[in-house]
Amino acid sequence: MSSSEISGQQALDVDRHAGEQAPSDPIPKPTIGSSFELDPEVIKEGEFESLRALGTVSRKFVPFAYGWGKFGDKTAPGEDVYFLLTSFHNVGQQPPADPSTFTARLADLHQRSKSPNGKFGFHTKTCLARLPQVTDHWEESWAALYKEQLQQLVRLDYNKNKDWGAFHPICSLILDKVIPRLLEPLQSEGRSIKPCLVHGDLWDENTATDAGTGEPFIFDACSFYAHNEYELGNWRAARHRLSAPAYIESYKQHFPPSEPSKSRIPLLISSAYGQTLII
């Protein structure tokens, strides 16, 4: 990608961040997302790599990521502004009104994705909203990676909010007792689970129906290879429209729960609530 004028600002040093040439069939016109948050370079690079990975598996289910980079001008002294350039989708119903089609596409993404080394993690750092994730390495154990992810959120919460009485002792119980009890059996006694590429922050406002095509799509990703059930954690928050039983039950029809069939979703929602507390 060469330097060019984008929205009246000069884009510099973009070549090393550009993806390969777009697919030959028509792709909607580009749109630009800008970032002014904490570590904007990490945020935009992580989102770019997430969209590229997702698009490799299911190209029509995510916007095509053309590239990312830094604007030449600064909005304030010492504040760099970064952009992500993707194909444009006309956002319609959020979340997609048809649970069956949406969850079928999502389950297909999970099932057809393949970890490059058969492990859980990702090749680069991504951010859950403004929060850096600790999924930029590889683990054989899903329980181990999820514990590291949740532990990071607990640590960030303590740094921001300090002591919350019984809150942090309860967090310790979840980390040391609940995670091993619910997640380790997935990979014990001869059982195994497949590391699936997940969106990483899938909730109402990161899903939509394209108003032009009527097809569901997802965006604003912070991906990594996880147990597929991690994707549903956000859906259990009552404030989300995806919490409607039709979405969860429809997904289960396309991708049945792993054995042993204990209820793990309340545990996996912990990361979503942790994010809310910190932001």
Side-chain angles (χ1 to χ4, degrees), residues 173-268:
L173 287 174
I174 293 174
L175 292 167
D176 298 333
K177 302 294 184 182
V178 179
I179 288 177
R181 177 171 293 185
L182 291 184
L183 300 188
E184 287 183 358
L186 292 166
Q187 294 176 280
S188 64
E189 299 180 3
R191 290 182 289 265
S192 64
I193 53 174
K194 172 184 178 289
C196 299
L197 184 64
V198 297
H199 174 284
D201 187 22
L202 200 57
W203 65 294
D204 301 346
E205 299 301 316
N206 289 344
T207 68
T209 298
D210 188 302
T213 66
E215 295 295 324
F217 70 101
I218 59 178
F219 54 96
D220 196 14
C222 52
S223 295
F224 64 103
Y225 290 90
H227 185 210
N228 67 295
E229 293 176 7
Y230 177 86
E231 199 85 281
L232 309 187
N234 265 342
W235 300 13
R236 286 297 295 267
R239 66 184 183 278
H240 294 162
R241 295 183 294 280
L242 281 173
S243 67
Y247 290 96
I248 295 176
E249 293 306 315
S250 180
Y251 179 86
K252 289 179 180 179
Q253 291 178 12
H254 299 294
F255 202 146
S258 301
E259 294 293 337
S261 56
K262 297 178 181 178
S263 180
R264 291 172 290 269
I265 302 302
L267 167 62
L268 300 177

Side-chain angles (χ1 to χ4, degrees), residues 89-106:
H89 287 257
N90 192 359
V91 175
Q93 178 73 37
Q94 289 185 280
D98 179 5
S100 180
T101 302
F102 169 63
T103 57
R105 297 284 172 81
L106 181 63

Side-chain angles (χ1 to χ4, degrees), residues 154-174:
V154 173
R155 187 182 305 114
L156 291 172
D157 171 73
Y158 184 81
N159 291 342
K160 178 178 180 179
N161 300 311
K162 304 307 177 188
D163 184 57
W164 281 35
F167 178 75
H168 287 100
I170 291 174
C171 289
S172 295
L173 287 174
I174 293 174

Side-chain angles (χ1 to χ4, degrees), residues 23-28 59 66:
S24 56
D25 53 321
I27 294 233
R59 188 179 60 77
Y66 291 98

Side-chain angles (χ1 to χ4, degrees), residues 46-65 105-106 108-110 112-114 122-123 126 196-202 206 217-225 231:
E47 185 176 357
F48 172 80
E49 293 292 339
S50 296
L51 290 176
R52 296 297 287 191
L54 293 166
T56 298
V57 182
S58 186
R59 188 179 60 77
K60 295 183 179 180
F61 197 39
V62 296
F64 183 84
R105 297 284 172 81
L106 181 63
D108 178 70
L109 166 69
H110 292 160
R112 290 196 298 112
S113 63
K114 185 176 181 180
F122 204 53
H123 65 278
T126 58
C196 299
L197 184 64
V198 297
H199 174 284
D201 187 22
L202 200 57
N206 289 344
F217 70 101
I218 59 178
F219 54 96
D220 196 14
C222 52
S223 295
F224 64 103
Y225 290 90
E231 199 85 281

